[in-house]
């Protein structure tokens, strides 16, 4: 149970802003255990998003290594990283990143298409996912016709549809009020408990901490406690 | 305000640049019309004027004022001269506004002065002239000049021309006595020298004064001071002659010259009782007419291009305003009212227009100069660039078009300024409704309007055909071009209404099988909600118009060429010298001339000749039908087999075919074909016996084998030659003595003509005449209307391509920019760059590709419907053949297709580069606000 699925060692990331170099991440070491809900917390600018992007193979670290199931990721080509993301990862973003001109159903269908999910099982999988996030009745609606919380739950449904191993969620509740935020987090919680998924999530909302298995606090690009 | 404008322009720099390019392009185009018109006509004017001088031997810049002095008393002559001369010198000549090359004043007596007391009885009628500045322009070939001769009292020294010396048998050094019929007084004149012109092309001599024949020319001052006063002769007339530099005439100043001349002519007539004549004035009238006509035609050809540019402007300004919408809404929420917002946009449009006004016309002129005058559509030649200049007209046109643009640019701003921030945010969330035009069924409305217009137009066409009114006398209606544009637009819109449904069906058919890229692109296309429709309709419209330009130009050039070919009959026509052997006796004895046939074999042996035939023709034939003679019938005798191989004639011009009628002729020697007109108006039936004759020939009995409307060289619309008979030459020759015939030649290929000419020269062959089809076509192609249409269509076509390319690129770049977030999400979800680029390619195929295809389809449909329009536009009143009898080659359409394809490829490259540069993490940040 306590397998380490993702490991980051000595991660550094700089941004050049004019003459200045901003150290967004400084020698961060982090381990994510399989089947847990891990929260990265910190103020805005602390490096949460940078860290989650690096862990999720969206961004590359300037120094250090990221391992997924003991495979080093930063040395892979873009194409291979695309592959890792497509098969093993799911993403939920703060901006409710659904494709606006696709219905809830189609958004999920597209994800399945992308990860080569068998065509015959797609329909039932989509329906399962919608059920899982409690939005079976919203299948034919467009993102613009959903409330923020609903849309984010669809985004979660999409991120889990292809049965990834890890879900990365960057401020999934950032654009939502507390009530909706809790709904979303509860979905994550139940996914971890029932589907044995691993969830990595950033947030600055202290209310979320109690549901997490692990919490890392980031400050100025460093992890300050565990 | 200015600062705000600056910020706004800076923010949308590229878009504003595109607006400026579009507006400048349109302004260049519009101003190129008058530039072109003037350029072409100026060239035609100058060649015509040169022709007038060197071929017709008339100096076009010759301006004469002649005052008749017969009724003026001798004492009043000086006064009369002194009142009129200064006016001419200081007012009339400068008013014309052309540089003066040369001038002279001529005093003349009447031409009935007799030389008396000569050695013979020959009557010699002479006149005496005094010509200003005379001796500077002559050369003495015998004797002395006036100034070198000593003068004897009572004797006037005079010069005479060679012709006078010869005609009148006068000699240098001799003194002659002149006498006026009714006056006994004798005047002594001594011929001191014989002159000739120093330089024949000297403008001083260009007045038609026939070398001052039969004139004694005496010293100009002596003529005024002594001769008229002291001698018995009266002055006949004074002529002020001015040679203007006509090469300085151009379309800019002809109107001024013309009106100055007309004013002067009446002033001179009314006030000074003299007559002014300016040889070129009638020609100028011609040009002024031609100018406005050509300008109209060219303008009308540009209507669709202008509409397209307006479209483009609306598209770009909509894109700009889409980007600004947020800002507008915020401005409004902060209390800015509609007027203030509109003011900013008005300033922007004015800024764009101003730059377009500065750049456009000179650029248009530059293009005209670079192009020179094309010899055909998209065919440039290396002739000298036309002399062109910018005048008020170009700027007037430019300003008119810019006002339309400002309006076009303001429409989207007007819509946007109505929306408050709340409404804007709401509209962003709401699923956008159908575009306005779909909700109001504008496409259907446009289609109905254009169909109605078309119906009207063709109705009018019928009237023209029935009444036989010259179509050029009917004013060309620009509305018809609007109808064309509306028609294309409505078909395009109708297609766009259906297109999402078609895609939807395709999407559902293969739902399980689509690759992620196809899934995304199909979905984007079927749910674009009007976003892609702008570029689609723009492409459809552009391509239809491009096709129309190509086909119009093609039709016009093709029809003209075919017309010439038809009227020529064959590649080369020639006639040998035929000398009758009984020329002297034939007329007195009233017998036909007898000729010996020149060797026919030589034609077949000429280099470059593929086939040849003998063609006998006579314009003053007579056909006798039912014992009634019908004169002025055009008779032609041919050998059907050879004629069919040699003559230029489209098979489908006659029904069922040309060969069918040739066969009718060869079936029996006495068979003839007659024109439909003869057949119908005389109630002739096939099989009837008719008699034909020409000149002094006897009647030849023939059998009518069929009737025709067209035959090589036969113009059925020409009133006088609408009667026509073709028969077998062998039969004619059997029945009649041999008569001179033409030889028609068909050449092997394009280079054969030069070969043929060379061979004729080498073999020292001489002919009465030799005409080639090619020379005639070249000559006809310098027709200003044709050149103008070709030039304008070429310019418009190039402009269309450029505007399409810019519109296409800007549209796609912006649409990608607006979708960066979407691409970021897709990339994050693990979609590879390759697949993302495949999405772009798919969208290009589904949007641009399909639009281009539709453009070609709709373009072809409208070309079919509207091509008769082109004939009216081109004012081809001399059109003989039905238009489009020979299909136009479609190389140009293919070229256009290649051009557009490469444009899409370039666009794809740029877009792919742009997409591959998108950083996923940064793209995702865009969504966070």
């Amino acid at each position: 149970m306590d397998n380490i699925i993702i490991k980051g060692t000595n991660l550094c990331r700089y941004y050049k802003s004019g003459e200045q170099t901003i150290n967004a991440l400084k020698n961060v070491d982090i381990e994510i255990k399989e089947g847990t809900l891990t929260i990265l917390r910190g103020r805005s600018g602390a490096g949460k998003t940078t860290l989650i992007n690096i862990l999720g193979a969206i961004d590359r670290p300037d120094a250090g290594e990221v391992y997924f199931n003991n495979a080093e990721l930063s040395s892979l080509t873009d194409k291979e990283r695309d592959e890792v993301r497509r098969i093993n990862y799911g993403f939920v973003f703060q901006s409710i990143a659904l494709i606006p001109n696709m219905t809830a159903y189609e958004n999920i269908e597209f994800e399945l298409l992308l990860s080569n999910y068998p065509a015959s099982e797609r329909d039932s999988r989509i329906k399962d996912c919608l059920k899982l996030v409690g939005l079976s009745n919203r299948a034919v609606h467009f993102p613009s016709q959903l409330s923020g919380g609903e849309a984010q739950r669809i985004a979660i449904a999409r991120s889990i549809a292809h049965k990834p191993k890890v879900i990365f969620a960057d401020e999934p509740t950032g654009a939502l009020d507390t009530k909706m935020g809790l709904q979303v987090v509860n979905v994550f919680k139940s996914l971890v408990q029932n589907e044995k998924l691993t969830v990595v999530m950033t947030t600055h909302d202290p209310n979320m901490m109690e549901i997490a298995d692990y919490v890392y606090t980031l400050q100025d690009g460093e992890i300050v406690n565990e | 305000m200015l600062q705000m404008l600056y910020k706004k322009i800076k923010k949308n720099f590229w878009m504003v640049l595109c607006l400026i390019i579009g507006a400048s392009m349109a302004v260049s185009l519009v101003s190129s019309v008058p530039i072109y018109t003037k350029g072409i006509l100026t060239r035609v004017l100058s060649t015509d004027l040169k022709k007038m001088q060197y071929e017709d031997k008339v100096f076009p810049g010759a301006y004469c004022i002649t005052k008749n002095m017969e009724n003026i008393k001798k004492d009043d002559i000086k006064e009369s001269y002194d009142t009129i001369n200064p006016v001419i010198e200081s007012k009339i000549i400068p008013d014309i506004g052309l540089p003066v090359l040369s001038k002279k004043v001529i005093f003349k007596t009447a031409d009935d002065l007799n030389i008396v007391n000569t050695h013979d009885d020959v009557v010699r009628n002479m006149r005496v002239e005094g010509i200003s500045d005379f001796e500077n322009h002559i050369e003495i070939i015998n004797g002395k000049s006036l100034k070198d001769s000593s003068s004897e009292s009572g004797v006037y020294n005079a010069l005479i021309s060679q012709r006078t010396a010869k005609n009148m048998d006068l000699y240098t050094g001799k003194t002659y006595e002149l006498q006026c019929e009714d006056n006994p007084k004798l005047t002594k004149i001594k011929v001191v020298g014989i002159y000739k012109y120093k330089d024949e092309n000297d403008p001083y001599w260009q007045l038609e004064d026939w070398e001052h024949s039969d004139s004694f020319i005496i010293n100009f001052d002596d003529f005024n001071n002594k001769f008229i006063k002291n001698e018995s002769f009266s002055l006949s007339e004074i002529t002020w002659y001015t040679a203007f530099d006509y090469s300085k005439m151009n379309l800019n100043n002809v109107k001024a010259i013309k009106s100055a001349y007309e004013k002067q002519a009446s002033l001179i007539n009314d006030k000074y009782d003299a007559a002014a004549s300016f040889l070129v004035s009638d020609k100028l009238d011609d040009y002024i007419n031609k100018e406005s006509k050509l300008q109209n035609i060219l303008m009308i050809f540009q209507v669709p291009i202008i509409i397209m540019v307006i479209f483009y402007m609306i598209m770009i300004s909509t894109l700009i305003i889409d980007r600004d919408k947020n800002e507008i809404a915020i401005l409004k929420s902060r209390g800015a009212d509609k007027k203030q917002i509109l003011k900013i946009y008005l300033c922007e449009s004015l800024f764009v227009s101003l730059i377009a006004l500065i750049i456009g016309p000179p650029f248009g002129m530059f293009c005209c100069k670079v192009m020179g005058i094309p010899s055909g559509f998209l065919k440039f030649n290396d002739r000298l660039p036309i002399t062109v200049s910018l005048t008020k007209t170009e700027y007037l046109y430019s300003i008119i078009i810019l006002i339309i643009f400002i309006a076009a640019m303001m429409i989207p701003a007007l819509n946007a300024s109505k929306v408050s921030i709340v409404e804007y945010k709401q509209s962003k969330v709401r699923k956008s409704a159908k575009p306005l035009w779909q909700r109001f069924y504008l496409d259907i409305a446009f289609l109905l309007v254009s169909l109605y217009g078309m119906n009207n137009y063709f109705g009018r066409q019928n009237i023209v055909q029935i009444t036989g009114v010259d179509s050029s006398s009917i004013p060309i209606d620009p509305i018809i071009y609007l109808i064309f544009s509306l028609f294309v637009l409505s078909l395009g819109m109708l297609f766009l209404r259906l297109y999402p449904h078609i895609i939807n069906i395709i999407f559902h058919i293969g739902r399980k099988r689509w690759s992620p890229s196809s899934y995304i692109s199909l979905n984007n296309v079927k749910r674009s909600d009007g976003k892609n429709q702008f570029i689609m309709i723009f492409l459809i419209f552009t391509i239809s118009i491009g096709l129309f330009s190509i086909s119009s130009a093609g039709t016009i050039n093709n029809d003209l060429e075919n017309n010439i070919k038809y009227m020529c009959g064959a590649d080369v026509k020639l006639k040998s010298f035929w000398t009758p052997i009984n020329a002297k006796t034939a007329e007195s004895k009233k017998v036909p001339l007898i000729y010996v046939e020149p060797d026919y074999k030589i034609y077949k042996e000429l280099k470059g000749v593929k086939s040849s035939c003998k063609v006998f023709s006579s314009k003053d034939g007579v056909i006798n039908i039912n014992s009634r003679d019908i004169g002025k019938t055009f008779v032609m005798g041919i050998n059907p087999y050879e004629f069919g191989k040699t003559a230029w004639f489209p098979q489908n011009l006659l029904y069922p075919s040309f060969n069918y009628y040739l066969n009718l002729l060869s079936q029996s020697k006495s068979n003839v074909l007659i024109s439909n007109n003869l057949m119908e108006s005389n109630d002739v039936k096939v099989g009837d016996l008719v008699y034909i004759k020409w000149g002094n020939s006897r009647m030849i009995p023939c059998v009518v084998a069929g009737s025709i409307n067209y035959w090589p060289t036969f113009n059925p619309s020409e009133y006088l030659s609408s009667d026509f008979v073709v028969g077998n030459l062998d039969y004619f020759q059997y029945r009649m003595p041999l008569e001179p015939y033409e030889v028609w030649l068909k050449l092997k290929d394009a280079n054969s003509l030069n070969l043929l000419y060379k061979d004729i020269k080498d073999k020292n062959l001489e002919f009465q005449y030799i005409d080639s089809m090619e020379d005639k076509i070249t000559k006809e192609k310098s027709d200003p209307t044709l050149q103008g249409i070709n030039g304008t269509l070429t310019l418009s076509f190039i402009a269309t391509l450029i505007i399409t390319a810019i519109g296409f690129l800007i549209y796609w770049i912006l649409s990608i920019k607006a979708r960066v977030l979407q691409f970021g999400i897709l990339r994050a979800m693990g979609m590879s760059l390759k697949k993302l680029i495949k999405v772009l390619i798919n969208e290009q195929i589904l949007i641009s590709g399909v639009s281009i295809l539709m453009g070609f389809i709709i373009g072809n449909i409208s070309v079919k419907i509207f091509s008769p329009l082109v004939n009216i536009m081109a004012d081809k009143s001399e059109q003989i053949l039905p238009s489009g009898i020979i299909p136009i080659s479609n190389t140009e359409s293919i070229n256009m297709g290649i051009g557009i394809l490469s444009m899409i490829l370039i666009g794809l490259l740029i877009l792919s580069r742009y997409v591959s540069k998108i950083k996923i993490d940064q793209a995702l940040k865009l969504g966070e606000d």
Side-chain angles (χ1 to χ4, degrees), chain A residues 96 98 103-108 125-143 145-158 160 176 180 183-184 187:
Chain A
I96 299 154
L98 296 174
T103 60
Y105 184 96
E106 286 163 348
N107 262 288
I108 302 169
R125 177 65 186 161
I126 297 165
K127 282 176 180 151
D128 286 350
C129 290
L130 284 169
K131 209 164 158 190
L132 217 58
V133 295
L135 290 173
S136 298
N137 55 339
R138 296 299 227 169
V140 293
H141 289 91
F142 286 95
Q145 295 164 318
L146 301 170
S147 77
E150 286 171 331
Q152 197 60 299
R153 276 146 70 195
I154 298 289
I156 295 168
R158 181 182 68 180
I160 58 167
L176 309 174
M180 286 188 185
Q183 274 180 14
V184 167
V187 170

Side-chain angles (χ1 to χ4, degrees), chain B residues 577-595:
Chain B
F577 288 101
W578 289 67
T579 347
I581 49 172
N582 61 341
K584 283 195 175 157
T585 53
E587 203 175 334
S588 54
K589 291 184 182 168
K590 297 229 163 169
V591 293
L593 291 166
I594 296 166
Y595 296 95

Side-chain angles (χ1 to χ4, degrees), chain B residues 343-410:
Chain B
K343 228 160 109 187
I344 298 170
Y345 283 92
L346 186 65
C347 281
E348 190 184 47
S349 328
L350 284 174
F351 172 75
V352 169
S353 305
L354 189 72
I355 294 184
L357 192 61
I358 296 169
I359 302 174
F363 185 70
M365 191 170 78
F366 171 76
C367 289
C368 290
K369 278 198 169 158
V370 167
M371 274 174 55
I373 293 172
S375 54
F377 182 68
L378 284 179
K379 286 184 191 112
F380 306 101
N381 58 11
D382 49 6
R383 276 188 279 175
L384 282 171
I386 46 177
T387 47
V388 281
S389 60
L390 286 174
T391 59
K392 272 185 294 185
T393 332
E394 286 83 51
Y395 283 99
L396 186 74
Y397 284 13
S398 308
I399 287 169
I400 293 172
I401 197 76
L402 285 172
I403 289 171
I404 298 174
F405 279 169
I406 290 172
M409 286 188 269
M410 294 304 288

